[in-house]
Amino acid sequence: MTKTFHIYRSSAGSGKTRTLAKRYILLALSRQPEYFRYILAVTFANKATQEMKSRILEYLDDFASGRTNNLSKEIKLELGIDDDTLKSRSREVLAIILHRYSQFSISTIDAFFQRVIRSFTREAGLMGNFRLEVDTDFVLDEVIAALMDDLGPDRQDLTDWVVQFSRERLLEGENWNVEYQLKQFAREIFKEQFKAVEDRILSSENIIEDNRRMLDFLQAEVATYRNFMRSKASEALRILDANNIKVADFAYGDSGTIYSWFRDLSLGKMRSRDTKRIESAVLGATDWFKKGIYRNQFLAIAEQQVMPIVREMVAYDDENSIISRTAIQVLKNFYAFGLITDIVRKLRDYREENNVLILADASKFLNGVINNSDTPFVYEKVGSYYRNYLIDEFQDTSSFQWKNFTPLLREAGDQGYFSLIVGDVKQSIYRWRSGDLEILQRQVVKEFGEARTEIIPLDTNFRSAGNIVDFNNIMFKSAAEKVAMHVNDHLPVEVFAEAEQKRSKWVDQGFVRMKFFERNEDDEGWEEQAIRMIPTWMEQLQDKGAKQKEIAIIVRKNDEGQRIAQYLLNFRNTADAKPGYSYEVVSNESLRLDTSLSVNIIISALQFLKNTQDRVARGQLAYELVGNPANDLFIKAGSKDKFEETLPPEFLARLKHFKQLSLFELTEEIIQLFKLGEKPEELAYLLAFQDQVLEFSAQKTNDINSFLDWWDLYKSKKSIKVSSSIDAANIVTIHGSKGLQYKYVIVPFCNWRFGHESSTPLMWLTPTEKPFNQLGALALKFSTELKRTQFEAAYQEEYVKVYLDNLNLLYVAFTRAEWGLIVSGPVLSSGRMNSVGEVVQAVLQEKYFGKFNGFDFEIGEVSTMPDTQVETDMIEQQLERYPSVDWREKLVIKREGSEFFEDEISEKRSKINRGILIHTVLSRIEYRSDAEDRLAEFFLEHALTPEDANAVRKVVLSVIDHPFMSNWFTKEWKIKNEASILLVNNRIDRVMFGKNRTVIVDYKNGERKSADKVQVENYANVLTQMGYPNVQAFLVYLKDLKVEEVISKSNLSLF
Amino acid sequence: MTPFLKELAGRIIKENSKLDDLTFIFPNKRAALYFEKYLSSEIKRPLWAPAMYSIEEFFKKNSDLREPDKLTLIFRLYQVYTSVLKNNESFDRFYFWGEMLLRDFDEIDKYLVDATQLFKDLSKIKELDETFDYLTDEQKLFLKEFWMHFSENPSITKDEFLIMWKKLPKVYSEFTKALRKESLGYEGMIHRDVAESLSKKIPTSLKNSKLIFAGFNALTKAEEKVISALVANGAKIYWDADQYYVENDLQEAGQFMREYRKHEHLSATFDGPLPKHFLESPKKISLTAVPQRIGQAKLAGLEISAILKQLPKDDLPAELSKTVIVLPDESMLLPMMHSLPDELLDINVTMGFPLRDTPLFNLLDQVIEMQVKKRTSPVTRATGFNHREVNAILGHAYFLALAEHEAQHRITDIVRNNRVYVPIEELLGEDPIFATFFKPVDSAQATDYLLELVEHLGSRLTDKKSFDREYAYHFHQHISRLHTIFSVSEKAPDWRGFQKLFRQVMMMQKIPFTGEPLRGLQIMGVLETRNLDFDNVIILSLNEGQLPSPPRQGSYVPHAIRRAYALPTWDHQDAIYAYLFYRLLQRASNISFYYSTEPDIIGNGEMSRYLQQVIIESKLPIEKRVLHNPIHVHAIHPIVVDKTAKVMQLLDKFVNETPEMRSLSPSSLNDYIECSLRFYLKQVAQMKEADEVEEEVDARVLGSILHDVAFWLYGELRDKRNGLVNAEDLSVSDEQIDRLIDRAFREFYHMKEDEPVVYEGKRIVVKEIVKTFLRKVLERDSEHAPFEIRMLEEDFNEKIDLPSGKRVRVGGKIDRADATRGTVRIVDYKTGVDELKFDNIVSLFDGESKHNKAAFQTILYAYVYFLHHNSPTEKIQPGLMNRNSLFGKDFKFGLKVGNDREPMEDVKPMLQEFGQRLHDVVGEIFNPFIPFKQTSNTKSCMYCLYKSLCRR
Ligand code: SF4
């Protein structure tokens, strides 16, 4: 059996994209030109998709126009074709791709899934035109609020539960306001871990009731355990007390001794025999006491009177602790957990009412679809058939995503078609977004079988200089071993098995510098020193000719970045700043939209418009406009009467007008009014902000208030893209740096702990043992307290993963560097291995013995990288100002309403003026005979309410049957309605040609105007000019059915 | 370069002396308009204009079926659908699918497909070949490809598909029958009718009129049939095409032309070779990459002003009319309009102004939401509206325009009385508008209600300049349609359903702009450019998903089956757009493309394929640009406020002799200590938030209710045995507590004496929490009893003399002071996070480090108490009854200093230092030379009102 399924184990800088592009091209070129439409390439990042597409097109264009390069060589070789064939085939394929572009299937996993879902919406009971929602926090706020509104007599169960929840919290001395906690918890429902167990949880009829029972049971469990231990412990203490044996008599006094154990338990605290000291102490009293005269006497008492109790306690503890400790963990989130069904329900309502699909739900949703239909049918619905799948960044696939792909891949495989996946388990850092490296590491091969799969390592590093490659090879091989040893699990080693990379260019160039600090003489912590070091690094690099913008400072967390940015900002204006050097830095943080003056002006203006009584908004607006608080600005802004002085009158004058505008127009007019468009340095922010506004009002609503709410939630995440053209060092987080590369990388705080991303997550577990297995699933917070519970295994597994996450982060950080890697951190040698910094140093100690003195480490000479800039033919264009005008001045919308409504309100309906309607119908009717048809059509078009229809009809007929006019509508006339004459502007309502006479009729529904006459006279002249005999003209005033003869035969007829 | 239609006009004038016996048929009305203009420009003296129709009008003219509006059609379809499928899907849910199904039917007819054949269920039929001998092999192939899978492994989605599929023929026939009965029909029906009748026999009226078709490209089968028949009868066709895409078989743009050139009837109409304008007429092309969208509009705006400068001023509008801005992305209309140069006066926009952007839409949407959320209180049985919508409506521009004064009053009342749900009677007013809007309406009357509102506004908003009446007019049109529909339907949707429907219908609607169609700068959608040519062409949003627009959503007819019956598929649409794109370029001389470099949230939307084609294939010179603005990183300017004369004057309100007689409260002192700027902004400048309805029953509410209840409760106790309290006194009944809590709520929400308090939403929680808290307090106190209550909620204020001679008042309220066993406890209830622990007196006055507000406050109380009631024999013990101490394992009253485990028993020894520092702070506040400034301790900023002002 041929290996149709390739797994590329890539590593940092191993040319993933190129490999993928190459594979694609090989497939596309090897068969008939249209073949490309059978290939689906999937990437994860949005930008990657575009990158991939343009890469492929560029390559093909190169080949088609005979430009050769390594790739073309390789391809010719693999396909065994000559230059001309490559050239011609490439030309064909390129052309056909460009013109059947819809079949050029390279997309993100989300985009692909959306496509499938869209084609199954009906079957899936979705509304067709649903909107894709990504702002989950925005949604959750609504959901939880709605849940809270439900409290009351109609939902007693819910109410009681929530009340008890809050009370419980209060009794724990926590914040009773559960809303916040619920929001946090509710985030879970978007995680796959939850979705995996969702159905099982929701299956229960009355979950709150079940939970209540479980709750009582658990609390009882815990209580009995506590009470037993408490009473025994107190007894023990009493005995000791009675024999006045004091804390001080114990070895180590209070700290972690059996005495403290008694005390804590007697206070009802949970306290396990978790320390060595206790473990041994409960076996026998021998080592309990300090040396001293009474020691033996004490010992005797202890052995005879206390130890029996202790043995009882131990026995009991062994019996019951596991369950009650588990119970305690379970109880932690139990109340929130109990509300999960209601939260999910509320979320459903939200989706329904707002007709949205939440992106986080998509893959599970699709899972339903895919399971319920066989692959060919899916293809059929989607409208395209795929044979070859090329999937990128596979380490970040979630299990649901994988489940969705398997059937498709399997189908392809069964047909014997080739597919491949590329990924790097070492760079899997998105577990908190449900990415699961196990799939790539183990599952795939399991599912497709050794026979079919071939694993190909991409083991050359095209990114970094040799010295860095070598260093990382050594570093991560043994770092992985150390971590594996520490957590005693093989996984890390497995994951880093292929870490070893070959060097490609600059074989023994590039450099690594590391510096580890201790608290120094003037009592400065390592962090201060590390930060202070950064400018020095920069100077050194610039000395060698590096540009500031080629440097990246990679940090673990955002606030670290901010701290550094702040420091450098100040540093610039200190004496230490050396002239001629640049210390500029940018980060997403420093480019946040809400740092922009213009943006703040707009926002505070909106705040003010939302509620003109809001003095904070007033004050801020005034301040932002003026720029300083002089002349008691704030006092005026705060006062009832004076605040108007602080705001531009033209602004206050337009308040009413503003209230009429939709969100986007409003912000535009604010920009215009305050001339914000005239500050060049602000334009980038202004544009980005307006794009946000446009997006929001198009996607969500036009309502200012909800925009402001949304802005509050997301402003911290909105910033303008860091642009390469500013000469400043980039400060990025490790996650932000993924997939990127920088010539010089500084990792100043190489010391993050082997902990979780931000807050420790909940683990959704399926309990197997009594009594917990009565619950379909459970949410437990990850913590060491899970040891010695029923979930110790789960704990252990997560524990390993956490270590791996952080090791991977380290890998990503260290492998961004092309030419220079600079690292600093604290000196560590505790052997506890709880921070990456320590692992790094441990490796240095071992592998670079003699090269590493515990503080400094260096490989290679600090130097600069040979330039590899590719020239673009793009001209940079600046927007010199932000034009913004009030178009209403220039343009009117069609006037129909002004006549439609009567000015004064009379009783219902007749508020509508039917004049125009009548006019329109009349000018369509040729003869009496077709009147009814025209009317019918007309009513259909204008959807007139029956009342109106009849009214109109009455008038129309009364015209047609009008004694004077009735004969106009007879067949003796030839009729031109709405007659149009070239070189004459308006159309004539009605021209009638009779035997040697011609009659012009114009209907008027307004008041009489002298202009009316002039107009028809003009018509008459034109007709005469055109040679029509005896032109006659009438004006018909519909209001009162008066016919006026403007030109009679007589006064035209000549003698 | 002469426009296609002008060329044609010239030719026509040359070939005909009179025009009124000619009949022109164009793809759309606009072409006719331009054509007429060009004709006029070719003649000297007036002439009857020829008859001119859009193909649509032409079909309608030759059919006796009339076409109702889409909404009506969908509703008719809905009625048939539900009766055939025997399901009771609601109309609002159906609407979208109805639209889709209607589109399918429309296509089936326009492409003259036999519906009953198409909708056959072939899942069972093994051998297609004999059953469908009239099908071509290719067709059979597609059909097999599709149906094959059905016989094999069935699946849920397939079954669902089949259920639907089997019903469709019936739906189709019933639907068309029903329409026909009233001689109604949708486009497709009309087309099919005409096609069938014309192909049999051409009516005399057409026979002897000279027909001329111009500017057509993608013909439906019906159109093709009709036109062929007429051509056979001598009608003429003029095509607008270019060699560039017709001669090259790969160019989808030329796909249809290539077919017609081979067509048995149409081929004849291609006289001579096609022009080569695309490559040969001189062109200047520029291509600008822009991050996202707004930038494109702004750049285009600047480009227009540049063009404007070069144009001859004599007949500007005419000159301008040679320039077009094309907006494939409709939502770019407003951004574009706002970016046009100030000096530009003549604009013509062929797209409409979106109804959803009108103030009236917002108002009606709010009104509907108000009706959706209206509710009758389970207790009072009174109907009320939620304050959110009510306030939004009262604050809406139209209310301000018509009844500002009253509206404002209502708002203030609602806020003052903290009405979460506003009873209707509280919403009435002099002005009729109130009665009209604020009444509970049953969803069955929805449309009457809305019509009434719209008419009300329509007739009262009389300002001639504003657009309000137009908005009203258009809403009136659409709502009337809904009205007529629901008047005949048995079950009206509930308000939710109505809302969904309303949104779906209104979101799509546009209000047409007027303006000289043929003069001034033209702003158009892609489709409107058909047949028109311009010298300067500016196209925005050239991204995939915009141009070509995404494959239109969904169809009930699967892809393969569409192919089998030659119904249009996605590539058909792509080809149409390709033609529109290239055609627009072929005669233009200045072309600017703009596209966004930012993909959408799921990574779609790179540069449009058509751009890629032009760049890679045409080899025309293209100037590539990228928008890039210099970015500057904002430095944060510290805010420092000097103590001006005005400030000092305002501060004086805290001085004893002044009339205001205000006093510095502990919390304001805390503010000052934590951040002097905050103190200034809050206490001096009075920069406070506006009051809003407290729907969020938050900590603040809890605190105030707890205090009231505790005050009343202990008040009663005190008065029992003039101050003495024993343990047994403290056993209070639940009834009593409940009573007091009710009372507290009433006072807080300004309710009437007898008004029952409704516990709903978070109020319930608060009530329970207050109870629990209070119970705990009582429990703790009974452990402490007996004691003597000395003060309850007692106001005090203390004069502090400054060197400047000023006497400043420092004051506050002591929750409780009680005494027993020689110790006076100064008690403060705290429901927040406050702690007992504080480092030392210094720390209480130091905002830069961690500083314990509660401790400061209670010690201040203690200090005051000491000054007034000190007895040397008594200890003074300030402390908190806060959540973690009250509910903690072992409760001991009192604050904790430094690392002491045990609470401090007597504060007296500290008071001297405290007093000293207190004087210093107050002195500092009044020291004219010390300005107010921001704290350096950003922790204090976390929950500060002025965060964004301070950029913290
Ligand atoms: S935000 Fe911070 S600095 Fe600004 S006023 Fe509030 S506390 Fe002071």
Side-chain angles (χ1 to χ4, degrees), chain A residues 655-668:
Chain A
L655 290 187
K656 273 219 179 90
H657 168 65
F658 282 154
K659 279 183 164 292
Q660 298 227 14
L661 298 177
S662 63
L663 180 56
F664 178 79
E665 291 207 83
L666 177 53
T667 47
E668 275 291 319

Side-chain angles (χ1 to χ4, degrees), chain B residues 722-741:
Chain B
N722 57 37
L724 235 359
V725 177
N726 301 332
E728 52 274 17
D729 302 334
L730 290 162
S731 53
V732 186
S733 70
D734 282 333
E735 295 65 37
Q736 193 176 358
I737 294 182
D738 289 345
R739 208 189 68 243
L740 292 176
I741 292 182

Side-chain angles (χ1 to χ4, degrees), chain A residues 46-47 50 53 57 95 98-99 101-103 108 111 121-123 126 128 148 151 163 166-167 171 173-176 179 267 352-353 372-374 376 380 385 591 595 600 611 615 620 623-624 629 632 634-635 638 656 659-660 665 668 682-683 685 691 695 697 702 725 873 875-877 879 882-885 890-892 894-898 900-903 909 912 937 941 943 980-983 1025-1026 1028, chain B residues 36 44 46-49 66 81 89 93 96-97 145-146 149 153 155-158 160 250-252 292-294 298 337-338 340 342 344 349 356-357 359 395 400 404 455 459 464-466 468-470 473 476 481 500 512 514 553 559-560 570 574 597 599-602 606 609 612-613 617 624-629 632 634 640 644 646 685-688 690 702 761-762 765 768 772 883 887 889 948-949 951:
Chain A
N46 296 349
K47 279 284 180 191
Q50 306 205 3
K53 278 186 176 176
L57 291 179
L98 282 174
H99 290 284
Y101 198 82
S102 308
Q103 296 170 312
T108 59
T121 31
R122 185 61 167 170
E123 290 81 351
L126 273 172
M148 284 299 167
L151 299 186
V163 166
S166 334
R167 206 193 274 110
L171 296 179
E174 304 267 338
N175 182 355
W176 59 274
E179 212 163 346
L267 288 173
E352 256 293 305
E353 283 158 22
N372 293 334
S373 28
D374 65 332
E380 176 44 53
Y385 299 71
L591 295 175
T595 61
N600 278 288
N611 183 342
R615 301 178 183 184
Q620 180 163 3
Y623 173 74
E624 305 282 1
D632 303 314
F634 289 123
I635 293 178
K656 273 219 179 90
K659 279 183 164 292
Q660 298 227 14
E665 291 207 83
E668 275 291 319
E682 284 282 305
L683 292 184
Y685 293 90
D691 275 314
E695 190 66 21
S697 47
N702 244 329
S725 63
D873 55 348
I875 309 163
E876 280 195 354
Q877 167 162 22
L879 184 69
Y882 183 101
S884 184
V885 294
K890 314 178 177 306
L891 202 61
V892 287
K894 199 161 192 170
R895 293 283 176 192
E896 296 173 280
S898 32
F900 185 76
F901 295 102
E902 300 280 5
D903 275 359
R909 289 297 170 223
I912 291 173
E937 281 165 17
E941 276 170 39
S980 138
I981 303 175
L982 298 177
L983 295 182
Q1025 205 185 112
M1026 290 167 70
Y1028 286 95
Chain B
E36 188 171 340
K44 305 278 159 296
L47 264 183
W48 285 113
R66 278 182 260 103
Y81 177 91
E89 186 167 16
R93 283 198 123 275
F96 175 86
W97 304 111
E145 172 187 306
F146 179 76
H149 313 306
N153 38 31
S155 73
I156 301 175
T157 42
K158 279 182 194 167
E160 277 166 356
L250 275 171
Q251 293 283 0
E252 62 272 51
Q292 301 192 31
R293 300 194 278 175
I294 299 294
K298 297 303 169 187
M337 303 279 264
H338 277 281
L340 294 170
D342 233 338
L344 174 69
V349 182
R356 70 182 293 265
D357 284 329
L400 299 189
E404 173 160 25
E455 282 159 9
S459 38
K464 289 277 171 290
K465 286 204 320 315
S466 82
D468 300 323
R469 276 198 162 186
E470 302 312 317
Y473 170 74
H476 196 279
R481 294 221 162 88
K500 280 194 212 139
T514 50
Q553 258 175 43
H559 193 249
W570 52 265
D574 293 351
T597 51
D600 68 13
I601 45 171
I602 54 173
E606 74 269 34
R609 69 188 67 176
Q612 315 227 42
Q613 293 172 2
E617 295 173 340
K624 298 207 185 90
R625 299 215 206 82
V626 57
L627 170 62
H628 161 56
N629 274 24
H632 94 141
H634 293 80
V640 179
T644 61
K646 181 70 183 165
Q686 297 286 318
M687 266 174 58
K688 306 219 168 85
L702 179 83
K762 282 178 72 186
V765 181
E768 288 309 314
T772 327
R883 64 182 191 219
F887 297 95
K889 288 265 175 303
S948 77
L949 176 66
R951 306 275 198 276

Side-chain angles (χ1 to χ4, degrees), chain B residues 631-821:
Chain B
I631 297 166
H632 94 141
V633 178
H634 293 80
I636 300 162
H637 309 294
I639 306 178
V640 179
V641 180
D642 296 320
K643 291 196 180 123
T644 61
K646 181 70 183 165
V647 175
M648 294 311 287
Q649 176 204 335
L650 285 174
L651 278 172
D652 279 346
K653 70 183 165 207
F654 299 115
V655 173
N656 197 25
E657 293 71 19
T658 50
E660 294 97 328
M661 298 277 279
R662 304 255 278 89
S663 44
L664 282 169
S665 66
S667 61
S668 45
L669 285 169
N670 268 322
D671 275 334
Y672 185 85
I673 292 166
E674 281 197 349
C675 173
S676 61
L677 181 67
R678 188 203 290 163
F679 170 85
Y680 163 75
L681 293 173
K682 217 195 268 169
Q683 306 299 335
V684 182
Q686 297 286 318
M687 266 174 58
K688 306 219 168 85
E689 283 172 311
D691 327 344
E692 284 173 354
V693 174
E694 281 288 351
E695 174 175 20
E696 285 288 300
V697 219
D698 58 8
R700 204 174 59 74
V701 185
L702 179 83
S704 101
I705 293 199
L706 177 73
H707 275 83
D708 290 353
V709 176
F711 174 46
W712 295 325
L713 193 61
Y714 281 86
E716 288 170 12
L717 293 178
R718 177 184 54 192
D719 306 342
K720 259 207 214 149
R721 228 182 275 91
N722 57 37
L724 235 359
V725 177
N726 301 332
E728 52 274 17
D729 302 334
L730 290 162
S731 53
V732 186
S733 70
D734 282 333
E735 295 65 37
Q736 193 176 358
I737 294 182
D738 289 345
R739 208 189 68 243
L740 292 176
I741 292 182
D742 285 357
R743 183 175 151 202
F745 267 102
R746 267 200 215 87
E747 296 209 349
F748 188 88
Y749 290 113
H750 306 89
M751 294 160 69
K752 297 182 221 64
E753 266 311 315
D754 47 358
E755 202 176 331
V757 188
V758 188
Y759 290 99
E760 282 174 316
K762 282 178 72 186
R763 278 189 193 184
I764 302 180
V765 181
V766 170
K767 179 179 184 181
E768 288 309 314
I769 294 301
V770 171
K771 261 185 170 166
T772 327
F773 208 99
L774 218 57
R775 280 274 166 227
K776 206 61 173 175
V777 172
L778 289 164
E779 179 189 330
R780 297 306 189 190
D781 277 341
S782 53
E783 293 162 14
H784 183 68
F787 54 82
E788 165 208 3
I789 296 181
R790 295 226 180 133
M791 298 178 172
L792 282 180
E793 301 279 313
E794 185 152 313
D795 289 311
F796 71 85
N797 59 71
E798 178 54 29
K799 326 259 172 319
I800 290 188
D801 294 310
L802 298 183
S804 62
K806 281 183 176 157
R807 287 193 134 212
V808 181
R809 296 156 57 100
V810 173
K813 222 190 200 74
I814 297 180
D815 285 357
R816 189 208 313 177
D818 58 33
T820 185
R821 299 183 226 92

